[in-house]
Structures are given as C-alpha cells and as structure tokens.
Amino acid sequence: MVVEIIQNKIYEINGQKVMLDFDIAELYQVETRVLNQAVKRNGDRFPEDFMFQLTREQWRFLISQIVTSKTETRGGTQKMPFAFTEHGVSMLASVLRSKRAIDMNIAIIRAFIAIKKVASTSGNLHEQINELRMELRDRIGEHDVQLTNIYDALENLLDKQTDKEAAKAEWEQRERIGFKKTIKE
C-alpha cells in the first residue's frame, strides 16, 4: 500500500521520474523547510541530475495535470519546489538519518523500481500488440481473398443453374417439328 501511495507522488518532468520536495518531506514526516535546509547544507551531494528546481511553467503544468491537497494548501508559492530524481532520493538517505527517513527511502526506491518494471513490460506489450495487429491485418486480408473466391464460385454456380433452367425452359417452349398428334373429339 505504501508503494502505491509513493507511486502516486512520482511525476514525470522533462522525461525524468521525480518526486517533489514537499511530498518527500511529508513521507519523511519532516517540514519541507527542514528537508530543503539539509539539502542546501549538503549541496555538493545533489548535482543537477539528482535534483533541480522547477520553473514556474513546469510548476503550472504539473498543477494542471494533478491536483493535490498540498498544492492547494501551499497558497501562493513564492519558491518553486525542488524535484528529486531517483538518485537524488537515494542521496537523501545520507542527509536525513532518522529511522523514518531511511525506511521511507527504501520504500521510495522500491516504488521507482516498480515503475521501471511496469514501463519495461508495457514497452514489450506495445511491441506484441503491434505484431498481433500486423498478423491480424494479414489474416484478414487472406480471408477477404478467400471469401471473394467463395462468392465468385457461388455466383458461377448460380449462373450455371440459371443457364440450365433457362435452357430447359427454352427446350420445352420450342416449336416442335414432325408429326403432331391431334386429339379428336
């Protein structure tokens, strides 16, 4: 259940899976301010590929995509939140050393791993679906050809039957030659 809660707090920004500082602080049960202070004190541990600050545009886009109680209670946010990649979240364990932070860090890393597994299997599923779609299209094409041949054969049989019936009717309607029997009354 915890992994699902965490997965709901992982967003994609600039093609990266990230968590926002206030969500991590909530999970670690610390104030966002305290989390950010610890990160600033250890700034050399958080290069740009571990953590970055959102731009106002990214923040507005993210808010439009998700509506969380945190974003509603933040009011007029003056500072843009920080986004932590999976590696940044891992590094947070060395900065915040409480038991709760360590336990939540492990759960967060597991959530990132679960998301990667789903993404890799969904990629394989996408490939398989495309292959099935192509195979189905080929089979449908073959069946269309076969059905057309069957319809043509049925029409030919019906035409031959109609021709036979017309020939028989014509034969019976012909003017006969030779002696005719006349019936006397």
Side-chain angles (χ1 to χ4, degrees), residues 78-96:
Q78 298 303 315
K79 286 182 141 186
M80 293 297 103
F82 288 98
F84 292 86
T85 64
E86 181 179 356
H87 303 296
V89 172
S90 304
M91 191 57 74
L92 281 173
S94 66
V95 174
L96 299 171

Side-chain angles (χ1 to χ4, degrees), residues 64-137:
S64 72
Q65 298 302 309
I66 53 144
V67 179
T68 64
S69 59
K70 273 294 188 191
T71 57
E72 291 168 6
T73 58
R74 282 179 80 93
T77 304
Q78 298 303 315
K79 286 182 141 186
M80 293 297 103
F82 288 98
F84 292 86
T85 64
E86 181 179 356
H87 303 296
V89 172
S90 304
M91 191 57 74
L92 281 173
S94 66
V95 174
L96 299 171
R97 297 188 181 130
S98 71
K99 173 72 173 137
R100 172 73 183 179
I102 291 169
D103 291 342
M104 286 311 299
N105 199 23
I106 291 168
I108 290 170
I109 297 303
R110 286 184 177 147
F112 273 105
I113 291 169
I115 287 175
K116 283 181 182 177
K117 282 183 183 176
V118 168
S120 69
T121 56
S122 70
N124 291 340
L125 287 175
H126 183 69
E127 247 178 60
Q128 290 173 350
I129 288 171
N130 279 340
E131 287 174 11
L132 287 173
R133 186 177 295 145
M134 295 299 287
E135 184 178 334
L136 184 60
R137 188 179 327 150

Side-chain angles (χ1 to χ4, degrees), residues 112-172:
F112 273 105
I113 291 169
I115 287 175
K116 283 181 182 177
K117 282 183 183 176
V118 168
S120 69
T121 56
S122 70
N124 291 340
L125 287 175
H126 183 69
E127 247 178 60
Q128 290 173 350
I129 288 171
N130 279 340
E131 287 174 11
L132 287 173
R133 186 177 295 145
M134 295 299 287
E135 184 178 334
L136 184 60
R137 188 179 327 150
D138 291 344
R139 284 188 180 181
I140 288 173
E142 290 173 19
H143 289 298
D144 282 348
V145 169
Q146 291 170 350
L147 286 173
T148 301
N149 290 340
I150 290 170
Y151 290 138
D152 288 344
L154 287 173
E155 284 178 8
N156 288 340
L157 287 174
L158 290 173
D159 287 347
K160 285 181 183 178
Q161 184 65 30
T162 305
D163 289 346
K164 279 183 183 178
E165 290 172 3
K168 186 178 179 182
E170 196 175 300
W171 177 257
E172 291 173 358

Side-chain angles (χ1 to χ4, degrees), residues 177-181:
I177 56 172
F179 293 107
K180 294 185 186 175
K181 270 188 180 176

Side-chain angles (χ1 to χ4, degrees), residues 1-2 20 30-31 37 40 52 59 63 91 107 115 125 134 155 170 174 181 183:
M1 184 65 181
V2 173
L20 301 177
V30 297
E31 291 180 35
Q37 284 174 349
K40 283 180 186 174
F52 59 90
W59 177 241
I63 289 175
M91 191 57 74
I115 287 175
L125 287 175
M134 295 299 287
E155 284 178 8
E170 196 175 300
R174 75 185 187 285
K181 270 188 180 176
I183 303 176

